[in-house]
Amino acid sequence: MSNLKAALEAAQQEPKPPFEVWVEALPDDDREALILAAASNRISHTAFHGVIRDAGAKVGKETVVIWRKAHGFTR
């Protein structure tokens, strides 16, 4: 594959949502804790959103709900 072809293909990739980028940038232990909490039925969407917002995520509650459902963490 030529460099030009690779560059053009890379330029056409859809950007990841900011929340996904934030999750990926977390230290491994924090990301693991976030995934475990996301899958827990013991934490509401509101509480989960509050914790991650306080940790620096600039994300709305609806985005968090959609993210948890899309990844199979909640029903």
Side-chain angles (χ1 to χ4, degrees):
M1 181 182 315
S2 73
N3 288 338
L4 176 59
K5 182 178 179 182
L8 289 169
E9 288 176 1
Q12 295 181 54
Q13 301 297 316
E14 284 192 41
K16 289 186 179 182
F19 181 63
E20 293 280 346
V21 173
W22 182 84
V23 170
E24 290 177 1
L26 289 172
D28 291 342
D29 58 334
D30 285 345
R31 188 172 44 257
E32 183 178 322
L34 178 110
I35 299 301
L36 289 172
S40 174
N41 291 330
R42 296 177 56 204
I43 186 168
S44 69
H45 293 306
T46 301
F48 185 79
H49 173 252
V51 170
I52 61 173
R53 187 192 61 232
D54 291 349
K58 293 184 170 113
V59 63
K61 181 181 170 193
E62 187 63 25
T63 298
V64 170
V65 172
I66 292 168
W67 179 83
R68 286 176 86 183
K69 290 180 179 180
H71 288 83
F73 297 130
T74 63
R75 296 170 199 203

